[in-house]
Amino acid sequence: MDEQKPKRHPRQKMPEQHPKVRARNFDEVPLGYDKETARREAERCLQCKKPLCMSGCPVNVKIPEFLKLVKDGDWAGAARKIKETNALPSVCGRVCPQESQCEGQCVLGKKGEPVAIGRLERFCADYERNEKLVRLPEKAKPTGKKVAVVGSGPAGLTVAGDLILLGYEVTIFEALHKPGGVLVYGIPEFRLPKAIVDAEVKYLRDLGVKLALNTVVGRTRGLRELMERDGFDAVFIAVGAGLPHFMRIPGENLCGVFSSNEYLTRANLLRSYLFPIYDTPPPRGRNVAVVGGGNVAMDCVRSALRLGAENAYLVYRRSRTEMPARAEEIHHGEEEGVQFHLLTAPVEVLGDENGWVRGLKCVRMELGEPDESGRRRPMPVKGSEYVLDLDAVVIAIGAAANPLLTSTVPELKLNEKGYIETDERGRTSVPGVYAGGDIVTGQATVILAMGAGRQAALAMHEDLTKK
Amino acid sequence: MTRIIERREVAPNVHRLIVEAPQIAEKVRPGQFVIVMPDEEGERVPISVAEWDAKAGSIVLFFLEVGVSTMKLARKEKGEDLYAVVGPLGRPATIGKFGTVVLGGGCYGIGAITAIAKAMKEAGNRVIAISEGRSRYLLYNQDTLRRFVDECLEATTDGSAGKKGKVQDVLRDFAKREKVDMAYFVGCTFMMMRCAETAKELGIKTLVALNSLMLDGTGMCGVCRVSVGGKTRFACVDGPEFDGHDVDWLELFQRKAIFVRDEVTAYQFHACRALRRHEGGD
């Protein structure tokens, strides 16, 4: 075969734990590529002159360039290439919805299967970290200016990583006792091992980023106070959308009904799957239904199996096509034995005489005309009600804006749903205050929050340089 | 890490903990709470802030040893560190000039109510504190309360101190001799429920500081939800103070007991582990 021509082998599979085994443990599901598989997969890249994959990436990772380095066997070099525009590659390689971003644009995908960009991103970042080849990049000379980042999730970590390199003094304020935001309290260990988040945070610390944990901005420290008393020249707000939605149906306060935030926080942040080595009790259930169709719902229902459920149901009111979850998560859930009740909506949570959940009354749905989201509107089918026997229900239908911080800054302009209004570069109505991630957009993905962080970091740099 | 300045068992199983927390001491208002973790494996335990000294940068907490994490807290000594103390959380208590205010405290509440007693007195009220315990030796913090209130009354189930009975019995007697404009109760759920019922009978406006389960304490998880006046509220951000006449007490009891079986298991398991370590195993 011609040296220059890309190899025509199929998309390389990534080994995984067997579904029966992994459904009962919290270890990571996919085991990652080895060097040879990575090389073979990278060889499939056509090295397009106008790479569409890059345009599909919210942080414009230089995909063809890093794939070429993988092909040539320079894995650490590839990792560094990714890191030029993406501070958290080992996270993104695992949790990005590649099928609707980079891989969704890949020309190979038009006729066959796209290059497994996500898996290769993960491989490079893991290789660099595991082989201890992570190098701290040069920092620009100190600007003498201080920036506060409120919240240590993906948006906050991105801003901190970008601004520390540009020569700012950066402090991240985090309300919880561990840094990482949704990466530690929300996304489960089996999808994103916490050791990886710890390594990413350590990298930022090594670069000089300061972390103030257990600090609730809005309570422990005022936003204004950060600027006026503590001398921060700018503040980036990235507190996420941390207010759980409930369904407003009867029975939601019964024992055994959890918000997805509670369910996942117990399991992940508080490590209750290791109870009683950790003190926090796990949210148990033998028959568990999770309501919702996104990644959070998939995380909950797969966690339910791992926490010992015999039956784990996913109840979603639209059909599989409309499920916002990553294709891979749905597929993994199916393999593990999640039972899907699609086109089904909950009507009422039923309780026993002690105030505990005993079932979920559901109704079948059919799809009608498209609604404002462009998805076909689900309509209840008369007389189709049935009851699922349960002892736990998890509500994973999204989150709203948490007003804890925003309500303490009346001059901060919010939209009608309580999210912070910004220009396209993250500037809020208050000079010196920027925002990004879920507290601006509403609940979205890790990579979109990182993209917003990147934009805001550039805007902050620009504005602070002008000053 | 937060340094412990002092820890003392003020009554069997009840501890008074003073910790170094300058940022919290500067911001905290009466009625607010903090979340405390003894160590990295610990639960996040919400505890009311009873007193504070902004100048010295310290806060005073009272807690009851009821589970593994509070057992660990109860074993901590002066000079040791707590893994996490975060706050102040929750809305501050409603403080104003009401006239005669009766404060009722039971178990940890006898200590926790100090902050409200002081603030109510400073606001110009006549303040009466009523503390209850099963027996005389379970009453504590009375000298501190006496500094802030006009009358410090007691109730014990066995009659060994004060009136034989409960807070609500003392309240009933007191209401016969004086008009009460406001009642405020802090303590275990059962005590607050009974007191609120009596106060309602007597036509007294009642506030209670609820102690539901919590994780983050910032409104994110919703485990603390309570029904108040038919509406679901989050005790961590909408409370912890609510109108005592509107709380759905039965639901609160049930929700507080969600994890009770595991909590008991953990308590026993932990004791075994501690013993194994002591014997050189583990």
Side-chain angles (χ1 to χ4, degrees), chain A residues 177-178 219-221 225 229 242-244 252-255 257 259 261-262 266 275 279 284 354 402, chain B residues 23 26-27 37 40-42 44 69 72 87-88 90 218-221 223 225 227 232 254-255 259 262:
Chain A
H177 56 277
K178 293 233 161 161
R219 301 273 188 177
T220 319
R221 215 95 194 114
E225 202 181 356
R229 216 172 113 187
L243 191 74
E252 279 191 301
N253 287 354
L254 288 164
C255 302
V257 180
S259 75
N261 279 348
E262 182 193 349
R266 278 185 188 278
F275 176 86
D279 300 350
R284 292 182 206 278
N354 298 315
N402 189 324
Chain B
Q23 290 195 327
E26 190 194 316
K27 288 283 157 61
M37 289 178 81
E40 199 181 340
E41 293 81 29
R44 295 173 61 93
S69 285
K72 289 171 174 176
T218 62
M220 190 188 86
C221 84
V223 64
R225 58 197 191 276
S227 294
T232 296
Q254 289 170 335
R255 290 196 56 84
F259 297 100
D262 274 337

Side-chain angles (χ1 to χ4, degrees), chain A residues 390-401:
Chain A
L390 300 171
D391 42 22
V393 175
V394 184
I395 300 168
I397 55 168

Side-chain angles (χ1 to χ4, degrees), chain A residues 316-318 322 367-379:
Chain A
Y316 180 54
R317 63 197 182 117
R318 302 179 198 251
E322 288 87 16
L367 293 178
E369 294 301 305
D371 62 12
E372 63 278 5
S373 76
R375 298 179 297 182
R376 294 176 63 195
R377 186 193 300 275
M379 313 281 282

Side-chain angles (χ1 to χ4, degrees), chain B residues 52-111:
Chain B
W52 56 90
D53 183 337
K55 232 188 239 162
S58 61
I59 57 173
V60 179
L61 312 171
F62 287 89
F63 69 92
L64 192 67
E65 185 186 332
V66 284
V68 175
S69 285
T70 46
M71 179 216 276
K72 289 171 174 176
L73 282 180
R75 300 295 174 273
K76 293 271 187 186
E77 297 299 343
K78 174 182 175 175
E80 288 186 72
D81 286 323
L82 296 175
Y83 179 70
V85 176
V86 55
L89 300 167
R91 287 176 190 275
T94 308
I95 304 292
K97 192 166 179 197
F98 302 104
T100 300
V101 178
V102 170
L103 309 177
C107 76
Y108 71 88
I110 300 174

